[in-house]
Amino acid sequence: MTDAYRPAELPEKIQHYIDGEFVDSLDGDTFEVLNPVTNETYVHAAAGKKADVERAVAAAKRAFQEGPWPRMLPRERSRVLHKIADLVESRDARLAELESFDSGLPITQALGQARRAAENFRFFADLIVAQADDAFKVPGRQMNYVNRKPIGVAGLITPWNTPFMLESWKLGPALATGNTVVLKPAEFTPLSASLWAGIFEEAGLPKGVFNLVNGLGEDAGDALVKHPDVPLISFTGESSTGQLIFGNAAPYLKGLSMELGGKSPAVVFADADLDVAIDACIFGVFSLNGERCTAGSRILVQRDVYDEFVERYAAQAKRVKVGHPHDPATEVGALVHPEHYEKVMSYVELGKREGRLVAGGGRPEGFPEGNYVAPTVFADVSPDARIFQEEIFGPVVAITPFDTEEEALALANNTKYGLAAYIWTNDLKRAHNFAQSVEAGMVWLNSNNVRDLRTPFGGVKASGLGHEGGYRSIDFYTDQQSVHITLGAPHNPTFGKQEVHEASELDDPDPR
């Protein structure tokens, strides 16, 4: 079955955007971009290399050193960011249409991500005006205050899952704080990123403040990480790539913020509301096609309710609607790329040996082409199984039983990752104690993944380095300069002071 759907007015080619102009790669090289429903090439994108990144960084550096953006008042920058948010919001249907087509994300979920992108800009537009920095006073003697300054050119490297929203997550605070940027979007999904240039121009962002270089990670991404004039790198992606970036950035002592992989546990105790927990655990791993870093892809269930949970969960997973991404009824669409599809399917086959298959396990019926995977559920999965330990990043979940709270905690912490955790229990004391003991950067108690944009976002262990979100983003994208003012007598110990002798009678001249 071939999906003939194609959005109107697709670009003939995707170019870089450097210093206010759309340009091809200096060497003319391109790469293919595939439709995930058919795996056919639908457009070619400029393939950036070191020379293209150098050109973009030079433009961004010039805009930072000579342009008005870093020197504008926060309120002036805020007005531009609010205009960006308005434009994104007004174009949400078009953005969602292109995002869905390019990534395979269901259209209704893509629409939600487009609206969230607008909210990210609006949030930081407000935050930068409300920003208050510390002052430390010793009355009558001294005062110290903190002066925040933009750092320079921020290198932003973004992933292919919900790309437009995740780009906004970095662009919003980087621009709000007065930096200039070079964005390197994921090569699988460059389509929606190409819309930022027109939005920024219309909103009044000065030329050179935003630059975009498409290309492969090992070419464009690597050149951006290693560029000496890029003091900041914010990266979202898999942990192995994060390790490479960490090593490559080390000689330059760059500021790094990296949100990496996850294998997050959802822990369901026997006293939980099973109806709500099952709904949340279905959504938590099958929304966004399972291609989400915070997916609750390991479900740990107390043995008292384990059989009931597995039976009901599997039955509901079988009812999740797989369909074409542009269909509003679709709940799981096509995975982003054939390479990723093959990776996920290899884990599905592995899971058939490592667990008990209770739902899915292959292609959904009626979809012989494209990157479709039926929502797949494995039960009775051992903690040493690869499908328990490794990030699959698709609509595949492992369910494992536990008996005691201590066992649940040991299982929850038994991976190299530590991004998120979800805990389902009506015991208030247990909920808080468990949350504080689980090795995760973020914990949701009796809740699905609901974000408050003021809170820090990030993980521990192999799931990340540093945090963004709210004031943590402001911290990352600014230098904090301490300024000291002496209000009283200076406290200056004197070295090398000249000796002063008291006069004696022998020193006085004869008065006679």
Side-chain angles (χ1 to χ4, degrees):
M1 180 188 296
T2 300
D3 185 4
Y5 177 78
R6 183 182 176 91
E9 299 179 5
L10 284 176
E12 294 183 3
K13 61 181 178 178
I14 295 176
Q15 297 176 288
H16 310 307
Y17 182 77
I18 299 175
D19 206 18
E21 296 181 356
F22 285 101
V23 295
D24 294 326
S25 292
L26 289 170
D27 65 2
D29 196 13
T30 64
F31 62 91
E32 297 179 340
V33 185
L34 307 183
N35 173 354
V37 168
T38 64
N39 286 329
E40 296 172 350
T41 301
Y42 77 87
V43 73
H44 286 80
K49 308 284 174 48
K50 183 179 179 181
D52 304 295
V53 169
E54 288 176 346
R55 184 179 176 189
V57 171
K61 183 179 179 181
R62 187 163 54 248
F64 184 79
Q65 293 180 337
E66 303 171 12
W69 187 250
R71 282 157 279 281
M72 290 168 67
L73 293 174
R75 174 63 71 185
E76 294 174 313
R77 289 200 298 269
S78 175
R79 290 192 183 102
V80 176
L81 264 66
H82 271 296
K83 179 65 173 174
I84 292 168
D86 291 341
L87 290 168
V88 170
E89 204 166 58
S90 70
R91 299 173 189 178
D92 58 359
R94 176 62 172 171
L95 287 166
E97 179 184 39
L98 296 183
E99 189 91 307
S100 176
F101 176 75
D102 196 29
S103 70
L105 193 66
I107 185 68
T108 53
Q109 296 171 42
L111 185 61
Q113 296 298 311
R115 291 170 178 167
R116 167 70 181 282
E119 183 58 27
N120 284 336
F121 271 93
R122 210 174 298 288
F123 175 83
F124 285 107
D126 292 338
L127 190 63
I128 199 64
V129 174
Q131 172 72 39
D133 289 315
D134 295 323
F136 307 92
K137 304 173 185 176
V138 181
R141 294 185 62 183
Q142 67 185 54
M143 182 175 76
N144 303 274
Y145 68 87
V146 175
N147 178 42
R148 285 185 184 269
K149 301 191 291 184
I151 296 175
V153 180
L156 312 179
I157 304 175
T158 52
W160 46 256
N161 60 317
T162 64
F164 192 81
M165 190 281 288
L166 289 176
E167 288 153 11
S168 75
W169 198 339
K170 300 178 188 297
L171 287 166
L175 295 175
T177 47
N179 297 284
T180 59
V181 304
V182 176
L183 170 66
K184 206 297 280 185
E187 55 264 33
F188 286 175
T189 55
L191 183 59
S192 60
S194 66
L195 301 178
W196 284 118
I199 291 170
F200 288 154
E201 284 182 8
E202 191 170 339
L205 192 71
K207 184 173 111 172
V209 173
F210 169 75
N211 304 273
L212 182 152
V213 178
N214 293 293
L216 306 183
E218 55 266 36
D219 295 326
D222 185 66
L224 188 59
V225 168
K226 293 176 179 176
H227 200 295
D229 292 333
V230 180
L232 290 176
I233 296 291
S234 178
F235 168 74
T236 298
E238 63 179 0
S239 299
S240 57
T241 306
Q243 290 174 319
L244 287 174
I245 289 174
F246 191 96
N248 288 335
Y252 306 96
L253 300 176
K254 293 175 186 275
L256 291 176
S257 175
M258 298 197 290
E259 190 263 287
L260 306 175
K263 191 70 176 177
S264 300
V267 184
V268 182
F269 287 93
D271 67 338
D273 183 329
L274 280 192
D275 291 337
V276 178
I278 288 170
D279 271 350
C281 290
I282 288 282
F283 182 83
V285 75
F286 298 133
S287 59
L288 307 181
N289 297 344
E291 298 165 325
R292 57 185 303 170
C293 53
T294 54
S297 54
R298 290 183 299 135
I299 305 178
L300 312 176
V301 184
Q302 198 157 26
R303 200 174 300 275
D304 303 23
V305 294
Y306 180 77
D307 290 340
E308 180 187 356
F309 183 96
V310 169
E311 182 180 353
R312 291 176 58 185
Y313 188 92
Q316 190 161 331
K318 292 173 184 176
R319 295 193 297 269
V320 171
K321 181 169 175 51
V322 179
H324 293 301
H326 68 271
D327 184 348
T330 293
E331 294 170 326
V332 170
L335 300 189
V336 67
H337 192 275
E339 286 181 19
H340 186 59
Y341 169 82
E342 292 299 332
K343 174 194 168 187
V344 172
M345 286 301 294
S346 72
Y347 276 108
V348 170
E349 293 306 310
L350 179 64
K352 292 175 181 177
R353 301 191 298 273
E354 292 188 331
R356 174 167 60 96
L357 179 66
V358 293
R363 276 189 174 276
E365 188 177 348
F367 292 89
E369 299 176 357
N371 306 319
Y372 289 98
V373 177
T376 297
V377 182
F378 293 104
D380 309 341
V381 178
S382 170
D384 60 0
R386 286 181 59 192
I387 63 168
F388 185 97
Q389 291 288 338
E390 299 175 15
E391 185 177 40
I392 299 174
F393 220 64
V396 181
V397 66
I399 308 180
T400 300
F402 68 87
D403 291 297
T404 66
E405 189 173 325
E406 292 74 20
E407 185 186 2
L409 182 63
L411 288 170
N413 291 340
N414 182 24
T415 71
K416 68 178 182 178
Y417 297 105
L419 188 57
Y422 307 88
I423 302 164
W424 296 89
T425 179
N426 283 316
D427 183 328
L428 184 63
K429 181 174 156 184
R430 170 199 282 155
H432 287 290
N433 286 332
F434 198 98
Q436 292 172 35
S437 299
V438 73
E439 295 168 351
M442 299 166 289
V443 181
W444 281 268
L445 301 178
N446 296 322
S447 171
N448 200 356
N449 184 335
V450 178
R451 278 297 316 287
D452 182 327
L453 297 183
R454 297 170 295 180
T455 59
F457 188 102
V460 298
K461 300 195 291 188
S463 286
L465 178 71
H467 291 80
E468 294 189 44
Y471 285 113
R472 274 71 172 187
S473 292
I474 304 298
D475 287 342
F476 177 69
Y477 289 105
T478 57
D479 278 329
Q480 299 179 54
Q481 179 188 58
S482 295
V483 180
H484 174 94
I485 307 106
T486 296
L487 300 176
H491 178 65
N492 290 335
T494 303
F495 281 23
K497 189 172 182 178
Q498 184 176 355
E499 290 186 22
V500 178
H501 299 283
E502 290 187 8
S504 68
E505 291 183 2
L506 295 176
D507 295 327
D508 290 336
D510 189 341
R512 290 173 296 180

mmCIF file of all heavy atoms in Angstrom, residues 222-246:
data_model
loop_
_atom_site.group_PDB
_atom_site.id
_atom_site.type_symbol
_atom_site.label_atom_id
_atom_site.label_comp_id
_atom_site.label_asym_id
_atom_site.label_seq_id
_atom_site.Cartn_x
_atom_site.Cartn_y
_atom_site.Cartn_z
ATOM 1 N N ASP A 222 30.348 17.623 13.441
ATOM 2 C CA ASP A 222 31.705 17.516 13.943
ATOM 3 C C ASP A 222 32.455 18.842 13.792
ATOM 4 O O ASP A 222 33.158 19.269 14.708
ATOM 5 C CB ASP A 222 32.438 16.400 13.185
ATOM 6 C CG ASP A 222 33.831 16.140 13.726
ATOM 7 O OD1 ASP A 222 33.931 15.682 14.876
ATOM 8 O OD2 ASP A 222 34.804 16.391 13.000
ATOM 9 N N ALA A 223 32.281 19.504 12.649
ATOM 10 C CA ALA A 223 32.962 20.780 12.413
ATOM 11 C C ALA A 223 32.465 21.849 13.378
ATOM 12 O O ALA A 223 33.245 22.695 13.851
ATOM 13 C CB ALA A 223 32.746 21.227 10.973
ATOM 14 N N LEU A 224 31.176 21.814 13.702
ATOM 15 C CA LEU A 224 30.616 22.791 14.632
ATOM 16 C C LEU A 224 31.165 22.578 16.040
ATOM 17 O O LEU A 224 31.548 23.531 16.730
ATOM 18 C CB LEU A 224 29.085 22.681 14.625
ATOM 19 C CG LEU A 224 28.292 23.745 15.382
ATOM 20 C CD1 LEU A 224 28.600 25.140 14.844
ATOM 21 C CD2 LEU A 224 26.797 23.459 15.289
ATOM 22 N N VAL A 225 31.231 21.318 16.465
ATOM 23 C CA VAL A 225 31.742 21.006 17.799
ATOM 24 C C VAL A 225 33.202 21.421 17.937
ATOM 25 O O VAL A 225 33.634 21.904 18.992
ATOM 26 C CB VAL A 225 31.583 19.499 18.091
ATOM 27 C CG1 VAL A 225 32.364 19.085 19.328
ATOM 28 C CG2 VAL A 225 30.108 19.140 18.249
ATOM 29 N N LYS A 226 33.977 21.259 16.879
ATOM 30 C CA LYS A 226 35.411 21.533 16.941
ATOM 31 C C LYS A 226 35.789 22.967 16.594
ATOM 32 O O LYS A 226 36.977 23.321 16.644
ATOM 33 C CB LYS A 226 36.152 20.576 15.997
ATOM 34 C CG LYS A 226 36.104 19.121 16.430
ATOM 35 C CD LYS A 226 36.779 18.224 15.392
ATOM 36 C CE LYS A 226 36.764 16.765 15.815
ATOM 37 N NZ LYS A 226 37.328 15.873 14.763
ATOM 38 N N HIS A 227 34.814 23.805 16.257
ATOM 39 C CA HIS A 227 35.161 25.164 15.836
ATOM 40 C C HIS A 227 35.575 26.001 17.045
ATOM 41 O O HIS A 227 34.841 26.094 18.028
ATOM 42 C CB HIS A 227 33.970 25.820 15.136
ATOM 43 C CG HIS A 227 34.374 26.982 14.278
ATOM 44 N ND1 HIS A 227 34.913 28.149 14.804
ATOM 45 C CD2 HIS A 227 34.342 27.160 12.934
ATOM 46 C CE1 HIS A 227 35.184 28.976 13.822
ATOM 47 N NE2 HIS A 227 34.857 28.410 12.676
ATOM 48 N N PRO A 228 36.744 26.630 16.991
ATOM 49 C CA PRO A 228 37.243 27.380 18.161
ATOM 50 C C PRO A 228 36.422 28.615 18.500
ATOM 51 O O PRO A 228 36.534 29.130 19.617
ATOM 52 C CB PRO A 228 38.671 27.754 17.749
ATOM 53 C CG PRO A 228 38.684 27.681 16.256
ATOM 54 C CD PRO A 228 37.727 26.609 15.875
ATOM 55 N N ASP A 229 35.620 29.115 17.557
ATOM 56 C CA ASP A 229 34.823 30.315 17.811
ATOM 57 C C ASP A 229 33.397 30.002 18.253
ATOM 58 O O ASP A 229 32.549 30.882 18.252
ATOM 59 C CB ASP A 229 34.782 31.195 16.556
ATOM 60 C CG ASP A 229 36.140 31.805 16.234
ATOM 61 O OD1 ASP A 229 36.942 31.983 17.183
ATOM 62 O OD2 ASP A 229 36.416 32.090 15.056
ATOM 63 N N VAL A 230 33.142 28.750 18.618
ATOM 64 C CA VAL A 230 31.824 28.346 19.134
ATOM 65 C C VAL A 230 32.015 27.892 20.573
ATOM 66 O O VAL A 230 32.393 26.745 20.831
ATOM 67 C CB VAL A 230 31.213 27.218 18.268
ATOM 68 C CG1 VAL A 230 29.839 26.807 18.801
ATOM 69 C CG2 VAL A 230 31.091 27.664 16.817
ATOM 70 N N PRO A 231 31.774 28.770 21.550
ATOM 71 C CA PRO A 231 32.064 28.418 22.949
ATOM 72 C C PRO A 231 31.012 27.539 23.615
ATOM 73 O O PRO A 231 31.256 27.006 24.694
ATOM 74 C CB PRO A 231 32.128 29.781 23.632
ATOM 75 C CG PRO A 231 31.242 30.660 22.810
ATOM 76 C CD PRO A 231 31.391 30.179 21.391
ATOM 77 N N LEU A 232 29.849 27.383 22.978
ATOM 78 C CA LEU A 232 28.752 26.622 23.575
ATOM 79 C C LEU A 232 28.232 25.579 22.598
ATOM 80 O O LEU A 232 28.029 25.875 21.417
ATOM 81 C CB LEU A 232 27.573 27.543 23.910
ATOM 82 C CG LEU A 232 27.716 28.555 25.041
ATOM 83 C CD1 LEU A 232 26.460 29.410 25.108
ATOM 84 C CD2 LEU A 232 27.928 27.842 26.357
ATOM 85 N N ILE A 233 27.982 24.370 23.090
ATOM 86 C CA ILE A 233 27.317 23.341 22.298
ATOM 87 C C ILE A 233 26.153 22.783 23.124
ATOM 88 O O ILE A 233 26.347 22.305 24.242
ATOM 89 C CB ILE A 233 28.266 22.183 21.928
ATOM 90 C CG1 ILE A 233 29.394 22.662 21.018
ATOM 91 C CG2 ILE A 233 27.487 21.040 21.275
ATOM 92 C CD1 ILE A 233 28.956 23.051 19.611
ATOM 93 N N SER A 234 24.951 22.857 22.558
ATOM 94 C CA SER A 234 23.794 22.197 23.154
ATOM 95 C C SER A 234 23.377 21.081 22.198
ATOM 96 O O SER A 234 23.103 21.328 21.025
ATOM 97 C CB SER A 234 22.641 23.188 23.346
ATOM 98 O OG SER A 234 21.507 22.517 23.878
ATOM 99 N N PHE A 235 23.350 19.864 22.731
ATOM 100 C CA PHE A 235 23.099 18.687 21.893
ATOM 101 C C PHE A 235 22.007 17.832 22.506
ATOM 102 O O PHE A 235 21.991 17.600 23.725
ATOM 103 C CB PHE A 235 24.387 17.865 21.765
ATOM 104 C CG PHE A 235 24.200 16.499 21.166
ATOM 105 C CD1 PHE A 235 23.964 16.357 19.802
ATOM 106 C CD2 PHE A 235 24.237 15.352 21.952
ATOM 107 C CE1 PHE A 235 23.779 15.097 19.240
ATOM 108 C CE2 PHE A 235 24.057 14.087 21.403
ATOM 109 C CZ PHE A 235 23.829 13.969 20.043
ATOM 110 N N THR A 236 21.105 17.357 21.685
ATOM 111 C CA THR A 236 20.146 16.334 22.084
ATOM 112 C C THR A 236 20.288 15.171 21.116
ATOM 113 O O THR A 236 20.211 15.355 19.898
ATOM 114 C CB THR A 236 18.699 16.874 22.047
ATOM 115 O OG1 THR A 236 18.582 17.956 22.971
ATOM 116 C CG2 THR A 236 17.708 15.784 22.442
ATOM 117 N N GLY A 237 20.488 13.966 21.661
ATOM 118 C CA GLY A 237 20.671 12.796 20.803
ATOM 119 C C GLY A 237 21.085 11.595 21.631
ATOM 120 O O GLY A 237 20.936 11.576 22.850
ATOM 121 N N GLU A 238 21.625 10.610 20.961
ATOM 122 C CA GLU A 238 21.948 9.367 21.645
ATOM 123 C C GLU A 238 23.249 9.503 22.436
ATOM 124 O O GLU A 238 24.105 10.347 22.147
ATOM 125 C CB GLU A 238 22.032 8.213 20.649
ATOM 126 C CG GLU A 238 23.126 8.338 19.614
ATOM 127 C CD GLU A 238 23.153 7.143 18.673
ATOM 128 O OE1 GLU A 238 22.323 6.245 18.844
ATOM 129 O OE2 GLU A 238 24.018 7.119 17.781
ATOM 130 N N SER A 239 23.394 8.632 23.427
ATOM 131 C CA SER A 239 24.508 8.740 24.367
ATOM 132 C C SER A 239 25.865 8.526 23.707
ATOM 133 O O SER A 239 26.850 9.179 24.079
ATOM 134 C CB SER A 239 24.318 7.729 25.510
ATOM 135 O OG SER A 239 23.123 7.987 26.211
ATOM 136 N N SER A 240 25.957 7.616 22.726
ATOM 137 C CA SER A 240 27.253 7.358 22.088
ATOM 138 C C SER A 240 27.740 8.596 21.334
ATOM 139 O O SER A 240 28.934 8.914 21.346
ATOM 140 C CB SER A 240 27.144 6.166 21.135
ATOM 141 O OG SER A 240 26.141 6.388 20.148
ATOM 142 N N THR A 241 26.817 9.322 20.689
ATOM 143 C CA THR A 241 27.192 10.566 20.010
ATOM 144 C C THR A 241 27.600 11.610 21.038
ATOM 145 O O THR A 241 28.536 12.388 20.820
ATOM 146 C CB THR A 241 26.034 11.091 19.154
ATOM 147 O OG1 THR A 241 25.595 10.053 18.266
ATOM 148 C CG2 THR A 241 26.460 12.298 18.330
ATOM 149 N N GLY A 242 26.909 11.638 22.167
ATOM 150 C CA GLY A 242 27.266 12.558 23.233
ATOM 151 C C GLY A 242 28.679 12.342 23.729
ATOM 152 O O GLY A 242 29.412 13.297 24.036
ATOM 153 N N GLN A 243 29.108 11.082 23.808
ATOM 154 C CA GLN A 243 30.475 10.784 24.231
ATOM 155 C C GLN A 243 31.490 11.345 23.237
ATOM 156 O O GLN A 243 32.527 11.894 23.634
ATOM 157 C CB GLN A 243 30.654 9.274 24.373
ATOM 158 C CG GLN A 243 29.896 8.679 25.550
ATOM 159 C CD GLN A 243 29.966 7.157 25.575
ATOM 160 O OE1 GLN A 243 29.858 6.507 24.528
ATOM 161 N NE2 GLN A 243 30.155 6.585 26.746
ATOM 162 N N LEU A 244 31.196 11.207 21.943
ATOM 163 C CA LEU A 244 32.090 11.761 20.920
ATOM 164 C C LEU A 244 32.182 13.275 21.034
ATOM 165 O O LEU A 244 33.269 13.853 20.947
ATOM 166 C CB LEU A 244 31.596 11.371 19.522
ATOM 167 C CG LEU A 244 31.780 9.921 19.100
ATOM 168 C CD1 LEU A 244 31.100 9.677 17.749
ATOM 169 C CD2 LEU A 244 33.265 9.568 19.007
ATOM 170 N N ILE A 245 31.036 13.916 21.221
ATOM 171 C CA ILE A 245 31.015 15.373 21.336
ATOM 172 C C ILE A 245 31.805 15.820 22.564
ATOM 173 O O ILE A 245 32.584 16.782 22.506
ATOM 174 C CB ILE A 245 29.557 15.872 21.392
ATOM 175 C CG1 ILE A 245 28.894 15.699 20.021
ATOM 176 C CG2 ILE A 245 29.483 17.329 21.848
ATOM 177 C CD1 ILE A 245 27.418 16.025 19.997
ATOM 178 N N PHE A 246 31.618 15.106 23.662
ATOM 179 C CA PHE A 246 32.340 15.434 24.899
ATOM 180 C C PHE A 246 33.847 15.413 24.646
ATOM 181 O O PHE A 246 34.576 16.335 25.033
ATOM 182 C CB PHE A 246 31.954 14.430 25.984
ATOM 183 C CG PHE A 246 32.416 14.800 27.362
ATOM 184 C CD1 PHE A 246 31.576 15.454 28.237
ATOM 185 C CD2 PHE A 246 33.702 14.484 27.788
ATOM 186 C CE1 PHE A 246 32.003 15.802 29.524
ATOM 187 C CE2 PHE A 246 34.134 14.816 29.058
ATOM 188 C CZ PHE A 246 33.279 15.487 29.928
#
